[in-house]
Amino acid sequence: MAGTVNNLPDDIEALKKLLLAERKTNLRLQKQIDELFESIRLARHQRFGASSEKAPGQGELFDEAEDGVDEEERIEPEELVSPPEKKPKKKPVSRKPLPAQLPRIRNVIELPEDERICSCGCQLIEIGEDTSEQLEIIPAKLRVIEHVRKKYACKGCEETIKTAPTATVLLPKAIASANTMAYIITAKYADGLPLYRLSTILKRYGIDYSRQTMSESVIATAQKLKPLMEYLRRELLASTVMHMDETTVQVL
């Protein structure tokens, strides 16, 4: 207490106030003691405890390939020691077929001639076939389009010379054709691929197409397509209902 028994007031209200003040002081002191003990515990842990930041479960962050394996096909280490528990069999997941419009190349695997004879001596006949499909992606094919303008001259007077008109192209002074710009713009704005990566991809083919030049070509293409975009905008605004995908893509 703040004073001795003789110094305590006789008034009950004063005693209550004195007890409340003493209780607040004790709570404050207890909080300071708890904070000191916590500081000591943290200091001991930093000096003598484990310094690894490894947390349980982090080892599974990079097990993406294993996560894609069906539970029935995965072999756990404990299964090699103890018999596995019986689990309900899952229904096999049917794989979605590849699009029918894709071109297909048939790779027919025949049975060797010496194996087409039965043990009884009869010739085996074809009764069917088993077919499996795999998707094959062919890398981009690059080619150069040469715009050749023929020249004609008069053999009689040798003064008249005519040249064929220039080719109608999207960007007359650019190295990229309309198809190339369509590929670049789709890769950048639909797939989120930066221009410097596209420049690096082309450099692997021996083509020097800098990021700055590519950026200027994208801006020039946008100016060329501005009338078409305005027309599409007017058509969209004339509709009563519009459906759109507002998913954002981070573009560097």
Side-chain angles (χ1 to χ4, degrees):
M1 300 291 289
T4 60
V5 178
N6 296 329
N7 296 331
L8 292 177
D10 296 332
D11 187 16
I12 296 178
E13 295 298 330
L15 284 173
K16 288 182 179 181
K17 292 181 180 180
L18 185 61
L19 288 173
L20 290 175
E22 189 72 19
R23 185 172 180 271
K24 291 181 179 179
T25 303
N26 292 336
L27 291 176
R28 185 171 64 254
L29 291 176
Q30 185 63 39
K31 184 179 179 180
Q32 293 178 354
I33 293 172
D34 294 339
E35 291 177 353
L36 290 174
F37 273 111
E38 181 65 17
S39 301
I40 294 173
R41 188 190 67 81
L42 290 176
R44 288 180 177 178
H45 177 74
Q46 291 175 357
R47 183 172 183 181
F48 304 107
S51 59
S52 175
E53 297 180 357
K54 180 179 176 182
Q58 285 189 349
E60 300 176 359
L61 291 177
F62 303 98
D63 294 340
E64 183 179 359
E66 288 79 357
D67 292 340
V69 179
D70 190 14
E71 292 294 337
E72 297 180 1
E73 300 179 0
R74 183 179 298 180
I75 300 177
E76 300 294 343
E78 56 268 14
E79 293 182 358
L80 302 176
V81 180
S82 59
E85 298 179 359
K86 292 184 178 180
K87 298 180 180 179
K89 291 186 178 180
K90 296 182 179 180
K91 294 182 181 180
V93 180
S94 59
R95 184 174 62 184
K96 186 177 180 180
L98 296 174
Q101 65 269 18
L102 293 179
R104 281 166 167 75
I105 299 176
R106 284 177 58 87
N107 180 25
V108 181
I109 304 174
E110 284 284 2
L111 196 66
E113 290 287 345
D114 55 350
E115 296 185 13
R116 299 185 191 179
I117 301 176
C118 182
S119 57
C120 66
C122 297
Q123 183 74 24
L124 300 180
I125 60 174
E126 182 179 350
I127 60 173
E129 61 185 17
D130 295 331
T131 305
S132 61
E133 294 183 340
Q134 284 186 327
L135 179 64
E136 184 178 38
I137 299 178
I138 302 174
K141 182 189 297 184
L142 279 70
R143 63 183 182 183
V144 179
I145 300 177
E146 295 181 351
H147 301 287
V148 182
R149 300 169 58 195
K150 293 289 186 176
K151 292 184 176 181
Y152 294 87
C154 179
K155 190 175 180 180
C157 62
E158 297 182 356
E159 292 181 359
T160 304
I161 298 177
K162 291 186 178 181
T163 307
T166 58
T168 304
V169 295
L170 180 64
L171 303 176
K173 297 182 180 180
I175 191 177
S177 65
N179 290 335
T180 302
M181 293 310 305
Y183 164 75
I184 292 173
I185 292 174
T186 302
K188 175 176 173 58
Y189 294 102
D191 302 333
L193 195 62
L195 292 181
Y196 77 90
R197 291 187 181 178
L198 291 170
S199 177
T200 304
I201 293 173
L202 293 176
K203 190 171 293 184
R204 289 202 297 264
Y205 293 95
I207 299 174
D208 186 12
Y209 198 3
S210 66
R211 175 186 178 184
Q212 180 179 358
T213 306
M214 196 178 296
S215 177
E216 294 174 354
S217 299
V218 170
I219 295 174
T221 304
Q223 294 296 329
K224 293 278 188 177
L225 296 177
K226 193 172 182 179
L228 177 60
M229 291 187 293
E230 290 295 333
Y231 172 77
L232 293 176
R233 181 175 179 272
R234 290 194 302 267
E235 290 295 320
L236 287 174
L237 293 179
S239 304
T240 55
V241 178
M242 287 191 300
H243 300 276
M244 65 183 66
D245 182 9
E246 296 183 350
T247 305
T248 58
V249 176
Q250 183 179 3
V251 179
L252 299 180

